Amino acid sequence: MNDLDTFSALLAPEGQSLLAELRDHDPADELAAATRLRRDHPAPLVSAALGQARLRQRAVAKFGADARLMYFTPNGVEQSTRATVAAHRAARLAALGVRTLADLCCGIGGDAIALARAGIRVLAVDRDPLACAAVRANAEALGLAELIEVRCADVTEVDTAGYDAVFVDPARRSKARGGRIFDPEAYAPPLSWAVEAARKAPVAALKIAPGVPHDALPEDAETEWISDGGDVKEAVVWFGTAVDGAPGPTPGGRRATLLPAGDSLLGAGLPDPAPGPVGDWLYEPDGAVIRAHLVADVARQIGGRLIDPTIAYLTADRLVGTPYATAYAITDVLPFHVKKLKALLREREVGIAVIKKRGSAVEPEELRKKLKLGGGRKSCTIFLTRVAGAPSMLLGHPAADAP
């Protein structure tokens, strides 16, 4: 039985019964469950159901409660878009006036689901028959089958004329290359092909790795870096214009969007701020801000400066609220010295230390072992970094904990 046959068997009544029985399955009991279920069901079907139960449990982090109803492939769980990010992108496409869209390299359909829920009719295309089967099953399971058409084909051969928009999510992992692909031209399909396909559509969005070099980005498009809960998830290259007066993508623009709140900062093309002495407050910009090269825009918001020309920490003399950076009250700015730090923390009865680093060769966990913190209840945030080129340690605490 091949993978597609096994997947089809999961959709049949016997497979559905097994999946229902495994809905709250404990992975620690897998061997006992397999032995018990194989008494009444074919071994390949039991293995497939157990595998799907594991994938659903892994997928909860991305899809929430929907994961209990959805169908996944191992690659699909790994590469699919987090539901919150997909919903943000779908909402932006809907605001641009998109009503029909070709989703190229759709995988197991995470983006297609979000697009359909935003009221957009989707043509979901992938060359992997198993992925296509998963999209169909997911659309049916979530009540979206009328809005999602699935086509198993090579995306480079699909005619997207007549659709309001194109969304391309090229594969960025390769077994042959040993994991993640960092060269955009090694994507499948290559970024250059995706860009040309995008330029033919009224509106287009291309999902790419957040670490993409800025010089690889097309200047006639806006690039948006998206973080969710402080973790940078992806970058999206946007082409086209809006309808009905809604603001469209800004050609050449660089944007940082922070979920779940949805705060979005479009860069103004500012030069890097000048460095200066560490003030009373240190600001740690969100990763999306750093990836988008918008640290200067945040510095202007807070009236801040860099602590070092090469380090993405900002400092200011007064506290100014911004969603794009986390603020810390700084109590000490010292040259890096482990013994002095250990003595200072002992003197202050610090038992809990959050250690952050940027521009330092010191590993936080190695430092933590050397500090041998006691059982005190006081906490401290330690920044291992450079100030004006010198290895330094800054001590403080989050602004929310400031008196």
Side-chain angles (χ1 to χ4, degrees):
M1 182 179 288
N2 62 36
D3 289 344
L4 197 55
D5 289 340
T6 302
F7 186 84
S8 297
L10 283 177
L11 302 179
E14 186 176 8
Q16 291 292 291
S17 175
L18 276 171
L19 288 175
E21 188 169 347
L22 292 169
R23 181 162 295 172
D24 298 314
H25 166 64
D26 183 351
D29 296 332
E30 184 162 310
L31 182 59
T35 301
R36 173 174 52 81
L37 293 172
R38 284 171 180 162
R39 295 173 188 151
D40 301 310
H41 305 280
L45 184 60
V46 171
S47 296
L50 285 166
Q52 193 61 226
R54 288 194 301 271
L55 292 174
R56 285 178 167 181
Q57 289 173 348
R58 283 175 55 194
V60 168
K62 284 189 174 182
F63 291 94
D66 282 345
R68 295 168 64 88
L69 301 173
M70 293 174 66
Y71 297 86
F72 301 95
T73 65
N75 284 342
V77 172
E78 191 70 29
Q79 299 183 26
S80 58
T81 304
R82 182 180 290 258
T84 49
V85 178
H88 160 74
R89 181 167 41 243
R92 188 171 182 190
L93 283 161
L96 292 173
V98 172
R99 296 297 176 263
T100 61
L101 177 144
D103 179 1
L104 306 182
C105 308
C106 65
I108 55 91
D111 279 283
I113 290 165
L115 291 161
R117 284 176 168 165
I120 298 172
R121 288 193 167 273
V122 182
L123 170 65
V125 184
D126 203 285
R127 66 182 180 183
D128 180 359
L130 186 58
C132 290
V135 180
R136 291 191 185 95
N138 288 334
E140 186 69 35
L142 299 176
L144 299 168
E146 292 185 1
L147 288 171
I148 300 175
E149 174 191 349
V150 182
R151 186 181 303 174
C152 193
D154 185 331
V155 298
T156 64
E157 298 176 359
V158 174
D159 182 7
T160 59
Y163 289 89
D164 296 336
V166 167
F167 171 63
V168 189
D169 182 5
R172 296 179 300 282
R173 289 180 180 270
S174 168
K175 291 182 179 179
R177 292 172 176 264
R180 292 183 184 273
I181 298 172
F182 297 99
D183 177 8
E185 286 308 296
Y187 292 174
L191 180 60
S192 57
W193 178 89
V195 168
E196 289 309 309
R199 286 175 175 149
K200 297 174 184 176
V203 175
L206 313 180
K207 176 181 170 181
I208 57 177
V212 63
H214 279 231
D215 58 11
L217 299 171
E219 283 303 319
D220 57 336
E222 173 186 302
T223 305
E224 176 186 29
W225 281 262
I226 303 172
S227 68
D228 188 11
D231 294 328
V232 183
K233 295 301 179 183
E234 63 182 58
V236 186
V237 181
W238 292 91
F239 292 84
T241 57
V243 297
D244 300 330
T250 302
R254 303 291 183 261
R255 180 185 297 275
T257 297
L258 281 53
L259 301 178
D263 297 291
S264 196
L265 176 65
L266 180 64
L270 302 177
D272 289 339
V278 178
D280 292 335
W281 300 92
L282 185 78
Y283 289 80
E284 182 182 26
D286 184 272
V289 169
I290 296 172
R291 293 284 194 180
H293 295 181
L294 301 184
V295 173
D297 297 80
V298 177
R300 184 170 68 173
Q301 282 188 356
I302 65 172
R305 54 193 178 270
L306 293 170
I307 65 170
D308 183 278
T310 63
I311 303 295
Y313 281 138
L314 295 168
T315 187
D317 300 317
R318 62 190 183 94
L319 179 62
V320 178
T322 175
Y324 303 108
T326 302
Y328 296 84
I330 296 301
T331 57
D332 302 88
V333 181
L334 304 166
F336 179 75
H337 194 286
V338 175
K339 288 185 178 180
K340 289 183 179 179
L341 177 60
K342 184 177 180 180
L344 184 60
L345 296 179
R346 184 185 298 114
E347 177 186 332
R348 295 180 181 177
E349 299 180 339
V350 171
I352 304 169
V354 177
I355 305 175
K356 296 173 171 284
K357 77 166 200 168
R358 187 164 292 162
S360 171
V362 179
E363 291 300 328
E365 289 311 309
E366 289 299 317
L367 176 61
R368 188 183 304 279
K369 292 177 184 177
K370 293 178 181 179
L371 292 177
K372 298 179 180 178
L373 296 174
R377 295 184 178 180
K378 294 182 180 179
S379 63
C380 177
T381 302
I382 304 167
F383 295 89
L384 308 176
T385 186
R386 291 195 303 272
V387 175
S392 304
M393 50 190 189
L394 281 57
L395 279 61
H397 49 265
D401 298 336

